[in-house]
């Protein structure tokens, strides 16, 4: 990261914080209104369906009354004559909207009681008070006044019968509508018909979600008739004797019901027989008609029964849509759970082995992670960041970690107290203490500051400037003359503030504005702590600190050409200042007497160029002084390291290989052996005579592709630098690296482990032999970038996920060396992000950029499985899809759908690792199907974490950063025995034993 980029980013962030984005606010409000309109439409459709259902069941209620008690027919006729008109039944609008069941007695102002001999008793009161028209949108009905003719030619019914609802016919003691409407599932073969019917009835497009039906019907029971008669007697409209007579009549009718012939099938108390009205228009398959009728009643019942009212539900939607990224989990009794990302519902079905979802307890996993190894070095945009300690360790940094690498023992220690990217590093004169500065972070804890720490114990001794520096700390330097009592810091603000701090007290001693130009280096004069030098773009400044005040003198180039950049400088043993610039020259600066003729009387001495030495072709990136007074210089364009004598006469030189880039910094090991940091993120070790070899290597641009070998401790990476690298996780080294024509974004090992496939940014993919590194096969699928390469468990198929919304399936033969197109999965409406194979190798689960979860039957010809309910118990060979029931708990509150870049389940199926957009690696228990699941969180990356993957034995976890070009290898610590099936079965058994619900395997709604 350069300072100009950071300045733009931070200025944009400050502007956004001060002036809210109106377009974003309007988008949020529009989304909330659209959600509310969708809810109202669903509620209206549900109400209309319920009205139709009541209309169809009303004649059946009449027939049921007649079947139970033949005397009811005469009652119906008498009531019709007494009223002199045909009245319409009344629907309770509150029942239609909220789905709340009411008893029949609360809706009647008078009652009719039928005795055993068929006579009717006089009601207590015949006064009916007209109710005002509700004009409720959920019912679209108005009350009918007594005596008002509806104009319908329908058989008259008593008011008691006219007010009956479907809920009134439920079995006594059973739950009401919410409790009895059991799990909804899709009916195979009926999706298209249901969508066509809804399109014809509602005049709109068919719903995207597939059809639903209820697996538990709601039969009319004879107990309903007895309850009606009992309610009438309680109202005083009959005597106890008549009640007993009526009860006896009903009981007799129940006993003889099986032998009675009539229009209905016999219904015995407690049985769950179906009671469905035949469709007079379509006399097709009765089973199909029954499912179609039930589907209408249940399609949006889940939506209405979750909230006490439509208004409250609308408020919930508006609240949840208030932020651009909202994630809510909603559980229903249909054995499914809905998760909302950016207002879009994602339905996930609960597996059958989980009987009580609400009782599942989410706990952090017993496994933990410990940083084992860091691959990479930050040399592409940082200077003076490589030092050698007396302990034999090289100190450098990458991402948020300062690495102490023992060059002989090949071991690493890590300083991990930084919360964001480390940008600078310096060594104390005592060769023990270190100071490192960091950038501002993505969260509140990532504030710019400087850490002073002990390189032996890795203990933080002082934290300096927390909350003082802006954007980040760019440069740090200890004083030498006073044994490192002071620390000089330059931040990344526009003025590049120069400040001096007391190292022991952690207090600021002085501060001054430096320059608006880029600053590349700062150092104290070794012999005088009051003198500080800074250099950068087109300047060299000589600062003097006295009594807490800074005075500045600018270096004068005089007759010499002023270079565009002064890249570095050092102090010679004679006290002169040597600078390296972008012109390839080494300039020697010294003090000269005041030019009285030019500057007049009172002119002070100045610092001028005493000598110019041509050193390199291109820039001089680094200078390093040795103990014997000689000088080392490192070139940029020519990649040379030159050794100079004390009087700047060249002595020896060597050139580093081109693949490592230019020389960024040099550290002296013992006067002869050197450590060299390069611009292509490598650290070389060697001498002028023997040459240099790489001891640390890494990628140089953003990385995305990561895959681990199925049986060995090796892994492969690829990224935007067009490199494909094979790493050895046991020996912590790079086995080989090749460069491609296009950059790679994904990779996958064949199960036999002999080849690996790599997907590129152009739609092309290739298969590499691990031993010879040769391309054994390649193909092109579309012209969009590829995102997933995944082999089936037996290696017979390869699935290629592309950004053109397709998944391409290939037959694999000849041990992964021959590929033929098998088919193409077409159904996603956005680019493919993740996919996994089932353990039997016949099915695929895939995610897309618009948060879809789709399932595919590959063996049946890449067929899309529209009934996702059938895949809820399927077992998956791997689990990398970020959307799914088993990993729903990994999403944080407020996630916008792109906050999680990747996840990976361990081979033992005990834990799942998550890579997020906030530089964190999370470790969750697997499965984690409940929102806000707890996890272990680990820091180390300085950019979005793009991928995570477990090694074949689950002994280590690998994570890769995006822009930080860092690969972290984590050791998996702890963890008990048993896999996730045992834990899940144990949790399910515990929840079943503690559950109070015995009538249904479904859990109670929270």
């Amino acid at each position: 990261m350069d300072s100009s980029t950071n300045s733009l980013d931070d200025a944009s962030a400050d502007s956004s914080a001060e002036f809210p984005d109106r377009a974003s606010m309007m988008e949020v409000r529009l989304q909330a209104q659209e959600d509310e309109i969708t809810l109202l439409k669903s509620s209206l459709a549900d109400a209309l369906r319920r009205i139709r259902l009541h209309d169809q069941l009303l004649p059946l209620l009449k027939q049921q009354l007649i079947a139970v008690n033949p005397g009811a027919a005469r009652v119906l006729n008498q009531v019709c004559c007494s009223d002199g008109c045909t009245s319409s039944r009344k629907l309770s609008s509150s029942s239609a909207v909220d789905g709340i069941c009411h008893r029949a007695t609360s809706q009647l102002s008078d009652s009719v009681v039928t005795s055993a001999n068929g006579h009717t008793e006089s009601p207590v009161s015949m006064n009916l008070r007209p109710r005002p028209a509700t004009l409720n949108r959920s019912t679209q009905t108005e009350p009918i006044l007594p005596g008002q003719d509806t104009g319908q030619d329908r058989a008259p019914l008593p008011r008691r019968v006219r007010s009956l609802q479907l809920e009134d016919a439920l079995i006594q003691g059973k739950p009401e509508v919410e409790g009895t409407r059991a799990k909804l599932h899709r009916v195979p073969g009926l999706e298209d018909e249901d969508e066509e019917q809804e399109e014809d009835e509602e005049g709109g497009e068919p719903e995207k979600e597939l059809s639903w039906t209820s697996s538990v019907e709601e039969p009319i029971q004879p107990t309903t008739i007895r309850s009606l008669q009992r309610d009438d007697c309680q109202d005083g409209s009959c005597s106890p004797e008549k009640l007993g007579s009526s009860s006896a009549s009903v009981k007799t009718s129940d006993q003889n019901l099986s032998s009675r012939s009539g229009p209905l099938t016999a219904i015995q108390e407690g049985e769950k027989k179906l009671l469905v009205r035949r469709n007079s228009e379509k006399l097709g398959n009765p089973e199909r008609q029954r499912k179609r009728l039930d589907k209408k009643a249940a399609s949006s019942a889940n939506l209405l029964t979750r909230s006490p009212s439509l208004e409250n539900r609308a408020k919930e939607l508006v609240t949840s849509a208030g932020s651009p990224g909202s994630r809510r989990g909603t559980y229903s009794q249909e054995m499914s759970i809905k998760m909302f990302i950016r207002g879009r519902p994602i339905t996930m079905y609960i597996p059958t082995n989980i009987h009580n979802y609400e009782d599942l307890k989410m706990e952090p996993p017993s496994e933990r992670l410990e940083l084992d190894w860091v691959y990479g070095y930050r040399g592409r945009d940082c200077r003076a960041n490589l030092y050698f300690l007396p302990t034999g360790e090289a100190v450098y940094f990458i991402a948020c970690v300062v690495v102490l690498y023992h060059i002989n023992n090949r071991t690493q220690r890590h300083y991990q107290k930084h919360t964001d990217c480390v940008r600078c590093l310096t060594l104390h004169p005592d060769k023990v203490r270190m100071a490192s500065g960091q950038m501002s972070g993505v969260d509140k804890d990532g504030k710019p500051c400087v850490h002073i720490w002990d390189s032996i114990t890795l203990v933080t001794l002082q934290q300096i400037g927390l909350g003082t520096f802006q954007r980040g700390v760019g440069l740090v330097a200890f004083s030498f003359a006073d044994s490192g009592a002071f620390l000089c810091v330059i931040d990344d603000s526009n003025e590049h503030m120069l400040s001096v701090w007391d190292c022991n007290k952690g207090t600021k001693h002085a501060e001054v504005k430096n320059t608006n130009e880029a600053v590349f280096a700062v150092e104290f004069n070794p012999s005088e702590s009051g003198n500080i030098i800074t250099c950068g773009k087109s300047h060299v400044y000589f600062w003097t600190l006295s009594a807490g005040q800074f005075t500045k003198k600018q270096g004068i180039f005089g007759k010499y050409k002023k270079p565009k950049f002064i890249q570095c400088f050092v102090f010679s043993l004679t006290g002169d200042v040597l600078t390296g610039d972008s012109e390839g020259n080494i300039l020697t600066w010294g003090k000269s007497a005041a030019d009285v003729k030019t500057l007049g009387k009172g002119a002070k001495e100045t610092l001028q160029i005493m000598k110019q030495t041509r050193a390199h072709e291109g820039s001089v990136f680094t200078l390093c002084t040795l103990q014997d007074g000689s000088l080392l210089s490192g070139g940029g364009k020519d990649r040379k390291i030159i050794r100079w004598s004390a009087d700047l006469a060249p002595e020896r030189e060597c050139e580093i290989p081109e693949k490592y880039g230019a020389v960024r910094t040099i550290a002296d090991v013992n006067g002869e052996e050197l450590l060299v940091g390069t611009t292509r993120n490598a650290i070389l070790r060697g001498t002028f005579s023997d040459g240099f070899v790489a001891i640390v290597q890494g990628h140089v641009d953003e990385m995305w592709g990561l895959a681990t070998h199925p049986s060995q401790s090796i892994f492969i990476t690829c990224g935007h630098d067009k490199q494909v690298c094979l790493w050895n996780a046991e020996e912590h080294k790079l086995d080989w690296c090749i460069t491609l024509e296009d950059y790679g974004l994904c990779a996958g090992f064949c199960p036999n482990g002999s080849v690996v496939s790599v997907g590129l940014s152009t739609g092309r993919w290739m298969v590499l032999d691990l031993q010879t590194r040769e391309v054994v096969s390649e193909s092109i699928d579309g012209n969009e970038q590829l995102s997933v390469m995944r082999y089936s468990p037996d290696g017979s198929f390869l699935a290629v996920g592309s950004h053109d919304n397709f998944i391409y399936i290939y037959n694999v033969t000849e041990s992964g060396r021959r590929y033929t197109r098998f088919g193409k999965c077409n159904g996603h409406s956005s680019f493919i992000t993740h996919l996994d194979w089932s353990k039997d190798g016949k099915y695929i689960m895939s995610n897309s950029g618009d948060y879809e979860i789709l399932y595919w039957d590959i063996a049946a010809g890449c067929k899309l499985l529209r009934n996702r309910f059938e895949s809820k118990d399927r077992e998956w060979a791997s689990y990398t899809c970020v959307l799914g029931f088993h990993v729903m708990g990994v999403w944080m509150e407020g996630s916008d759908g792109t906050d999680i870049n990747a996840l990976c389940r361990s081979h033992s199926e005990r834990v799942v690792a998550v890579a997020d957009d906030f530089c964190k690696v999370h470790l969750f228990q697997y499965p984690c199907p409940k929102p806000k699941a707890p996890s272990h969180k680990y820091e180390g990356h300085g950019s979005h974490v793009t991928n995570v993957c477990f090694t074949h034995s689950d002994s280590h976890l690998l994570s890769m950063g995006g822009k930080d070009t860092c690969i972290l290898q984590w050791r998996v610590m702890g963890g008990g025995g048993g896999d996730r099936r045992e834990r899940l079965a144990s949790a399910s058994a515990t929840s079943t034993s503690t559950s109070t619900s015995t009538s249904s395997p479904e859990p109670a709604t929270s």
Side-chain angles (χ1 to χ4, degrees):
M1 292 182 241
D2 54 33
S3 59
S4 60
T5 304
N6 296 329
S7 301
L8 291 176
D9 293 343
D10 290 312
S12 176
D14 295 341
S15 176
S16 299
E18 187 174 357
F19 304 104
D21 189 352
R22 293 181 177 271
S24 299
M25 295 176 62
M26 293 300 296
E27 181 182 358
V28 170
R29 294 178 59 185
L30 180 60
Q31 180 66 37
Q33 292 175 359
E34 289 178 354
D35 293 340
E36 186 175 1
I37 292 173
T38 302
L39 177 66
L40 293 173
K41 287 181 179 179
S42 301
S43 303
L44 178 59
D46 179 79
L48 293 176
R49 290 169 183 165
R50 293 172 66 88
I51 291 174
R52 295 191 195 102
L53 183 63
H54 281 261
D55 289 340
Q56 294 172 356
L57 290 182
L58 189 58
L60 301 181
L61 288 171
K62 172 186 172 182
Q63 294 175 1
Q64 177 67 12
L65 280 174
I66 296 174
V68 174
N69 189 353
R74 291 191 293 273
V75 176
L76 298 179
N77 294 332
Q78 291 177 4
V79 174
C80 179
C81 295
S82 63
D83 289 346
C85 66
T86 302
S87 300
S88 299
R89 63 183 179 85
K90 301 176 181 178
L91 283 178
S92 171
S93 62
S94 62
S95 175
V97 177
D98 300 327
I100 301 175
C101 302
H102 299 279
R103 298 189 60 84
T105 56
S106 64
Q107 300 180 12
L108 299 177
S109 59
D110 59 325
S111 57
V112 178
V113 180
T114 305
S115 62
N117 57 7
H119 296 122
T120 51
E121 300 295 332
S122 300
V124 175
S125 173
M126 295 296 294
N127 297 326
L128 298 178
R129 292 177 295 177
R131 299 167 66 182
T134 60
L135 294 179
N136 193 301
R137 294 189 178 184
S138 300
T139 61
Q140 296 292 323
T141 59
E142 297 183 7
I144 307 301
L145 298 179
Q148 181 179 354
D149 191 0
T150 62
Q152 299 180 5
D153 191 9
R154 182 182 296 176
L157 297 177
R159 296 181 184 86
R160 168 71 70 180
V161 179
R162 288 201 304 268
S163 63
L164 284 177
Q165 300 186 35
L166 176 63
E167 293 83 350
D168 297 328
L170 297 176
I171 303 174
Q172 292 287 336
K174 294 290 183 179
E176 294 182 344
V177 172
E178 293 90 346
T180 57
R181 183 169 289 119
K183 61 182 179 181
L184 301 178
H185 57 84
R186 303 179 180 194
V187 180
L190 289 183
E191 293 84 3
D192 297 336
E193 290 186 23
D194 292 336
E195 292 177 359
E196 292 175 1
Q197 182 178 359
E198 290 181 8
E199 184 176 5
D200 294 339
E201 291 177 354
E202 301 177 10
E205 297 181 358
E207 299 175 358
K208 186 174 182 179
E209 290 293 332
L210 300 182
S211 306
W212 305 90
T213 186
S214 176
S215 61
V216 175
E217 303 298 335
E218 297 157 344
I220 301 175
Q221 301 295 335
T223 54
T224 303
I225 309 301
R226 288 199 293 270
S227 66
L228 297 179
Q229 294 173 340
R230 187 179 301 108
D231 291 340
D232 282 354
C233 292
Q234 292 175 358
D235 293 339
S237 58
C238 69
S239 62
E241 293 81 2
K242 293 177 181 178
L243 174 61
S245 176
S246 299
S247 300
S249 175
V250 174
K251 191 174 298 184
T252 304
S253 300
D254 294 342
Q255 295 172 356
N256 299 332
L257 192 58
S258 59
S259 61
R260 189 185 303 273
S261 61
L264 297 177
T265 307
I267 301 178
Q268 297 183 357
E269 184 173 2
E271 287 186 291
K272 293 186 177 181
K273 295 293 183 179
L274 302 179
L275 183 61
V276 182
R277 177 184 179 184
R278 291 185 179 181
N279 194 321
S280 59
E281 298 178 358
K282 298 180 181 180
L283 299 177
N285 186 356
E287 180 68 10
R288 178 172 294 183
Q289 301 299 332
R290 176 188 66 78
K291 292 180 179 179
R292 183 173 305 206
L293 178 64
D294 297 333
K295 170 256 175 188
K296 287 184 177 182
S299 62
S300 60
N302 184 35
L303 178 65
L304 291 178
T305 55
R306 281 196 199 129
S307 299
S309 66
L310 177 63
E311 181 182 6
N312 292 338
R313 176 64 173 148
K315 289 180 180 179
E316 292 175 10
L317 279 177
V318 173
T319 302
S320 64
S323 58
S326 62
R327 200 267 310 136
R328 298 182 295 111
T330 304
Y331 173 71
S332 62
Q333 289 187 330
E334 292 82 11
M335 297 302 287
S336 67
I337 187 165
K338 280 193 176 181
M339 170 181 169
F340 288 81
I341 295 183
R342 296 187 65 88
R344 175 165 185 166
I346 304 172
T347 302
M348 288 166 282
Y349 295 94
I350 303 176
T352 54
N353 59 349
I354 298 181
H355 300 296
N356 289 277
Y357 172 80
E358 289 297 336
D359 293 336
L360 291 178
K361 294 182 179 180
M362 295 292 99
E363 298 178 352
S366 57
E367 292 84 351
R368 292 182 178 272
L369 300 180
E370 181 182 89
L371 187 59
D372 177 52
W373 200 264
V374 177
Y375 299 88
Y377 156 76
R378 185 168 182 172
R380 71 188 190 279
D381 61 349
C382 292
R383 296 168 172 82
N385 60 348
L386 177 62
Y387 294 89
F388 186 76
L389 300 178
T391 57
E393 294 172 307
V395 185
Y396 58 94
F397 60 79
I398 184 172
C400 303
V401 183
V402 181
V403 182
L404 295 90
Y405 174 60
H406 199 290
I407 60 176
N408 292 325
N409 300 338
R410 299 185 63 184
T411 58
Q412 281 188 358
R413 295 188 298 141
H414 310 102
Y415 179 76
Q416 298 177 256
K417 302 302 182 181
H418 285 284
T419 57
D420 206 82
C421 281
V422 182
R423 282 293 309 277
C424 54
L425 184 70
T426 190
L427 178 63
H428 195 273
D430 63 10
K431 304 294 184 181
V432 174
R433 283 178 284 179
M434 305 288 300
S436 51
Q438 73 173 46
M439 303 295 295
S440 59
V442 296
D443 52 25
K444 62 180 181 180
D445 296 329
K447 296 181 180 180
C449 63
V450 177
H451 289 196
I452 300 176
W453 47 280
D454 191 303
S455 62
I456 297 177
T457 62
L458 301 181
V459 174
T460 303
L461 303 176
Q462 195 71 252
Q463 190 178 51
I464 290 178
L466 184 64
T468 302
F469 307 117
Q470 296 184 24
R471 300 177 186 170
V473 177
L475 298 168
V476 289
F478 281 107
S479 59
F480 286 85
D482 49 15
S483 301
F486 294 97
L487 179 73
C488 179
V489 181
I490 296 180
D491 68 9
D492 283 336
S493 62
N494 292 337
E495 295 81 10
H496 296 95
M497 300 297 296
L498 170 64
S499 57
V500 175
W501 299 75
D502 188 311
C503 294
N504 296 322
K505 299 179 181 179
T507 57
K508 187 188 300 183
H509 184 62
E511 185 179 37
V512 67
K513 291 182 179 180
N514 190 358
T515 176
N516 290 331
E517 303 291 349
V519 181
F520 295 150
V522 62
E523 287 290 347
F524 281 92
N525 190 317
S527 59
E528 212 173 322
S529 297
N531 292 340
I532 300 174
I533 300 177
T534 63
C535 70
K537 183 178 179 181
S538 303
H539 76 271
V540 177
Y541 292 151
F542 300 86
W543 302 85
T544 301
L545 176 62
S546 176
Q549 298 295 325
F550 280 101
T551 57
K552 179 177 68 173
K553 293 181 181 180
Q554 184 171 356
I556 300 175
F557 291 88
K559 63 180 181 179
Y560 298 98
K561 180 182 178 182
K562 186 176 183 180
K564 186 175 181 180
F565 296 102
I566 307 296
Q567 306 275 13
C568 54
F569 71 89
V570 293
F571 291 91
S572 67
L573 296 181
T574 60
D576 293 333
V577 178
L578 307 177
T579 63
D581 58 41
S582 56
E583 300 295 326
N585 298 320
I586 298 177
L587 303 179
T588 304
W589 298 76
K591 295 180 180 180
S592 63
D595 189 353
V596 180
K597 294 181 180 180
T598 304
L599 301 178
K601 294 182 179 181
K604 298 181 180 179
E605 64 178 5
T606 60
L607 291 164
Q608 294 182 350
I609 299 174
M610 309 298 293
K611 180 180 179 181
Q612 176 177 289
T613 305
R614 183 66 178 175
H616 293 272
E617 180 183 354
S619 296
V620 179
F621 277 169
T622 184
L623 294 173
C624 176
T625 55
L626 302 180
Q627 293 180 356
D628 59 359
S630 58
L631 177 70
L632 297 175
S633 65
K637 186 176 180 180
D638 59 8
R639 306 187 312 279
K640 289 183 179 180
I641 301 176
I642 303 177
R643 178 167 179 161
W644 306 82
S645 64
D647 56 356
L648 294 181
E651 296 180 345
R652 305 184 67 177
E653 71 175 48
C654 69
E655 181 178 334
I656 65 174
E658 182 180 0
K659 64 180 180 179
Y660 299 128
V663 179
R664 176 62 75 186
T665 187
I666 300 174
D668 179 26
V669 175
N670 54 17
E672 181 67 22
E673 191 174 17
L674 305 176
L675 295 178
V676 180
T678 72
T679 56
R680 292 189 64 82
N681 294 348
I683 297 178
L684 311 180
R685 178 187 181 185
T687 62
F688 284 98
S689 56
D690 298 334
F692 292 85
V693 295
I695 58 174
V696 176
Q697 289 179 268
H699 283 270
V700 296
D701 206 343
E702 187 171 1
M703 301 179 295
W704 282 93
L706 172 66
T708 54
H709 195 276
S711 59
Q712 302 177 28
S713 295
I714 58 177
F715 63 95
I716 199 163
T717 60
C718 56
H720 289 190
D721 56 3
K722 301 181 182 180
Q723 293 185 0
V724 177
C725 301
L726 183 70
W727 306 83
N728 191 313
E730 288 184 349
E731 299 181 7
H732 309 122
K733 68 174 185 178
L734 178 66
D735 283 347
W736 53 258
C737 176
I738 63 173
T739 303
L740 306 177
E741 296 179 0
D742 304 302
Y743 59 83
L745 293 173
C746 53
F749 278 94
C750 185
N752 61 23
S754 61
V755 297
V756 62
S757 59
V758 180
L760 308 180
S761 59
T762 58
R764 187 165 67 100
W765 56 272
M766 57 182 58
V767 182
L768 303 174
D769 187 286
L770 291 183
Q771 299 297 327
T772 65
R773 313 178 197 176
E774 295 180 353
V775 178
V776 298
S777 179
E778 63 178 323
S779 181
I780 297 178
D781 289 317
N783 55 7
E784 299 285 341
Q785 69 183 43
L786 304 181
S787 52
V788 191
M789 306 291 291
R790 189 85 63 209
Y791 286 89
S792 61
D794 59 358
S796 59
F797 290 103
L798 170 65
V800 181
S802 172
H803 270 227
D804 62 6
N805 304 356
F806 299 131
I807 301 175
Y808 300 91
I809 307 298
Y810 284 84
N811 269 321
V812 183
T813 55
E814 300 179 8
S815 299
R817 285 169 167 74
R818 181 177 176 83
Y819 297 80
T820 55
R821 175 76 72 85
F822 176 79
K824 180 172 67 173
C825 299
N826 181 7
H828 275 292
S829 56
S830 184
F831 57 89
I832 310 302
T833 58
H834 308 84
L835 65 85
D836 292 291
W837 286 89
S838 61
K839 289 186 176 180
D840 57 11
K842 297 180 180 179
Y843 302 93
I844 281 180
M845 170 177 57
S846 59
N847 291 168
S848 61
D850 58 351
Y851 323 129
E852 274 187 325
I853 308 174
L854 295 185
Y855 300 91
W856 312 87
D857 189 342
I858 304 303
C862 304
K863 179 183 177 182
L864 173 63
L865 299 178
R866 297 187 177 275
N867 189 355
R868 292 184 291 140
F869 178 82
E870 296 178 353
S871 300
K872 62 186 178 67
D873 292 327
R874 191 161 285 127
E875 294 188 347
W876 304 99
S878 62
Y879 213 118
T880 60
C881 288
V882 298
L883 295 174
F885 172 79
H886 294 85
V887 296
M888 191 190 69
V890 306
W891 289 90
M892 296 179 292
E893 193 69 30
S895 298
D896 68 351
T898 62
D899 292 339
I900 293 180
N901 297 313
L903 62 80
C904 181
R905 183 191 67 190
S906 63
H907 297 88
S908 64
E909 302 185 14
R910 290 183 52 86
V911 294
V912 58
V914 174
D916 69 15
D917 252 359
F918 309 105
C919 316
K920 304 296 188 297
V921 175
H922 299 261
L923 196 65
F924 289 86
Q925 159 190 304
Y926 181 86
C928 51
K930 299 191 72 173
K932 301 180 181 179
S935 68
H936 300 307
K937 182 173 64 175
Y938 300 94
E939 299 177 340
H941 285 287
S943 177
H944 54 289
V945 186
T946 57
N947 217 330
V948 287
C949 198
F950 285 95
T951 57
H952 71 100
S953 61
D954 290 340
S955 61
H956 292 83
L957 173 72
L958 298 161
S959 63
M960 61 166 40
K963 294 293 187 180
D964 64 14
T965 68
C966 176
I967 304 172
L968 299 183
Q969 180 172 310
W970 306 85
R971 184 183 296 108
V972 180
M973 310 292 292
D979 59 10
R980 64 103 181 174
R981 298 185 189 89
E982 298 176 1
R983 296 204 315 273
L984 192 59
S986 175
S988 181
T990 303
S991 63
T992 302
S993 62
T994 58
S995 174
T996 58
S997 174
T998 57
S999 60
S1000 174
E1002 290 82 1
T1005 304
S1006 59

